[in-house]
């Protein structure tokens, strides 16, 4: 019975180590896994099949066009151009992606979250008012950002940017996920499909049901495409 104690301790330590290790992505066992929509490839990694390494080309790791401004001719006055695994196949399994954000004067990237990623935003041109809100208690952190400034939005927290300058603005965002996901707050609450029950939202926002119904009938814009 006494001899079994070290064995049990070893098992307990192994179980703890496995639990800790399983909380993070495993280390890569290959140089890359270029995504391909072909089930015959046989290796399915993180939602994508891996292209045969012998068929991989340099263009699998290349995406042009991030120098081209996105159209801000919409009610929000902003546009997000993403470079993620769906349009840069070589990003698959590398846990990174990025986006260009264009802002017209007074343009806003509305409050939203990225459920699978932290975001680092750098201002390339212009002046932005940016911030994020913590989980309960909901503390607001804001900062005015000028050209060259950087801010971090912690994973899954609601954040936003507003162009407060006198010219158009441009920013680059970097994510520690190949597919960070996005939940735009207003769209999710008032534009879900199907719609959230009016009684739920009326009580949650302490508003008259008619106001909620009006908000649900609006066409909610989403710059985070």
């Amino acid at each position: 019975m006494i001899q079994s104690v070290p064995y049990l301790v070893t098992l307990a330590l192994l179980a703890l180590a496995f639990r800790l290790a399983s909380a993070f992505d495993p280390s890569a066992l290959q140089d890359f896994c270029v995504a391909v929509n072909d089930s015959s490839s046989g290796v399915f990694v993180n939602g994508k099949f891996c292209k045969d390494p012998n068929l991989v080309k340099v263009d699998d790791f290349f995406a042009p066009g991030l120098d081209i401004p996105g159209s801000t001719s919409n009610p929000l006055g902003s546009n997000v151009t993403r470079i993620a695994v769906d349009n840069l196949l070589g990003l698959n399994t590398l846990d990174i992606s990025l986006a260009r954000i264009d802002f017209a004067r007074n343009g806003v990237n509305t409050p939203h979250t990225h459920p699978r990623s932290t975001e680092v935003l750098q201002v390339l041109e212009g002046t932005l008012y940016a911030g994020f809100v913590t989980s309960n208690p909901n503390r607001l952190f804001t900062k005015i950002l000028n050209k060259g400034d950087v801010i971090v939005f912690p994973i899954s927290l609601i954040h936003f940017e507003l162009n407060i300058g006198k010219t158009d603005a441009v920013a680059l965002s970097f994510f520690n996920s190949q597919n960070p996901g996005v939940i735009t707050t207003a769209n999710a609450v008032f534009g879900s499909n199907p719609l959230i029950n009016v009684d739920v939202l009326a009580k949650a926002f302490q508003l008259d049901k008619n106001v909620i119904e009006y908000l649900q009938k609006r066409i909610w814009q989403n710059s985070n495409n």
Side-chain angles (χ1 to χ4, degrees):
M1 185 70 177
I2 295 177
Q3 292 180 348
S4 67
V5 173
Y7 175 73
L8 293 176
V9 172
T10 301
L11 284 180
L13 291 174
L14 287 173
L16 177 61
F18 177 78
R19 183 175 181 181
L20 291 174
S22 65
F24 301 94
D25 290 336
S27 298
L29 298 179
Q30 56 195 43
D31 291 338
F32 46 75
C33 171
V34 173
V36 60
N37 295 319
D38 181 6
S39 59
S40 64
S41 297
V43 182
F44 194 67
V45 181
N46 202 16
K48 300 288 183 179
F49 287 96
C50 291
K51 189 175 185 178
D52 184 339
N54 294 322
L55 301 178
V56 170
K57 300 178 180 179
V58 68
D59 284 346
D60 292 322
F61 304 95
F62 171 78
L66 207 59
D67 61 318
I68 302 173
S71 174
T72 56
S73 299
N74 56 67
L76 300 179
S78 69
N79 185 282
V80 178
T81 303
R82 297 194 178 281
I83 300 295
V85 67
D86 287 334
N87 53 7
L88 182 51
L89 301 178
L91 285 177
N92 191 40
T93 73
L94 299 184
D95 301 326
I96 56 172
S97 57
L98 69 156
R100 171 184 173 134
I101 312 175
D102 290 280
F103 299 85
R105 291 183 61 181
N106 300 314
V108 61
N109 192 10
T110 59
H112 61 281
T113 72
H114 301 292
R116 295 181 290 274
S117 179
T118 292
E119 176 181 353
V120 178
L121 181 139
Q122 178 188 16
V123 178
L124 299 183
E125 297 290 343
T127 302
L128 298 178
Y129 168 73
F132 64 90
V133 181
T134 66
S135 55
N136 293 340
N138 302 129
R139 185 179 177 189
L140 173 65
F141 290 85
T142 62
K143 189 73 175 178
I144 294 177
L145 306 174
N146 295 299
K147 182 178 179 178
D149 290 343
V150 173
I151 191 170
V152 174
F153 302 128
I155 185 171
S156 79
L157 296 187
I158 293 175
H159 57 281
F160 58 86
E161 306 93 44
L162 172 68
N163 182 4
I164 59 173
K166 296 181 179 179
T167 63
D168 292 349
V170 183
L172 275 182
S173 285
F174 304 89
F175 305 93
N176 63 338
S177 171
Q178 69 181 46
N179 184 18
V182 60
I183 302 172
T184 306
T185 308
N187 302 47
V189 173
F190 299 110
S192 64
N193 183 21
L195 295 173
I196 297 175
N197 185 284
V198 172
D199 292 326
V200 173
L201 297 182
K203 289 185 178 181
F205 289 93
Q206 297 294 292
L207 293 173
D208 186 271
K209 291 182 181 180
N210 292 329
V211 176
I212 298 298
E213 290 175 346
Y214 166 77
L215 292 172
Q216 288 182 328
K217 290 178 181 177
R218 294 183 61 83
I219 299 176
W220 292 96
Q221 299 291 322
N222 180 12
S223 62
N224 276 277
N225 295 321

